[in-house]
Amino acid sequence: MSPEFSLRPSQTADAAWIAELRAVVMRPDLERLARWDPVRVRERFLNGFQPEHTFVVEVAGRDAGVIAVRPEPDAQWIEHFYLAPEHQGKGLGGAVLRQAMDGSRDHRPFRLNVLQGSAARRLYERHGFEAESEDAVDVFMAAKS
């Protein structure tokens, strides 16, 4: 049974807490990759935040995470997909990803990048994403729409 959740459009006012969530969620992987910078992890999000493409995940009326689907001419980019640690490992991530993809399907493939060694890669593979290329830090993945 999928966890109950809803997606609401994000607003500019959501930026600060999403940046904090990003720092919490990404810290273990960034530390493992020797890339952790507490200022940069927040700034990178804040400098590129596009609320018009971002949805807040709500569980029991509370903000539990975020996901963005950014359209480009040749692909749809899944970005800024973060769930608070207490909501991870319960099937919520798969349900959110499935709903976000189902609501955005067209002729373009979905693309994303995930940090090397991240457990999130298994989630993406379960949803049809395959590695296309990688470097020392990121794995770039795609799935047919």
Side-chain angles (χ1 to χ4, degrees):
M1 186 166 122
S2 294
E4 289 195 28
F5 70 94
S6 61
L7 297 178
R8 71 163 172 85
S10 70
Q11 303 170 7
T12 303
D14 291 314
W17 76 262
I18 295 172
E20 289 304 312
L21 176 63
R22 179 180 198 262
V24 168
V25 170
M26 293 186 72
R27 185 174 185 160
D29 285 329
L30 290 172
E31 285 180 337
R32 179 179 44 75
L33 294 166
R35 305 287 289 197
W36 171 248
D37 179 325
V39 173
R40 188 168 192 270
V41 72
R42 291 167 177 88
E43 283 181 348
R44 280 194 71 190
F45 174 77
L46 293 170
N47 290 337
F49 180 47
Q50 296 180 336
E52 66 273 19
H53 300 302
T54 306
F55 296 90
V56 173
V57 180
E58 293 183 332
V59 174
R62 299 184 60 125
D63 297 339
V66 65
I67 189 168
V69 181
R70 182 177 50 83
E72 289 290 328
D74 62 345
Q76 297 193 74
W77 284 87
I78 303 290
E79 299 177 318
H80 305 301
F81 186 17
Y82 315 117
L83 292 177
E86 64 269 22
H87 294 286
Q88 295 177 12
K90 300 176 182 177
L92 179 61
V96 169
L97 182 61
R98 189 169 35 259
Q99 183 171 322
M101 291 173 71
D102 287 348
S104 301
R105 285 194 194 278
D106 62 19
H107 65 282
R108 296 170 291 180
F110 290 98
R111 296 192 185 285
L112 58 80
N113 60 293
V114 62
L115 292 171
Q116 286 282 4
S118 173
R121 181 175 177 171
R122 289 188 303 278
L123 168 69
Y124 300 135
E125 289 172 340
R126 286 193 304 270
H127 285 83
F129 283 86
E130 296 179 355
E132 287 191 318
S133 66
E134 54 188 272
D135 60 28
V137 176
D138 291 303
V139 178
F140 298 89
M141 304 182 81
K144 292 180 178 153
S145 184

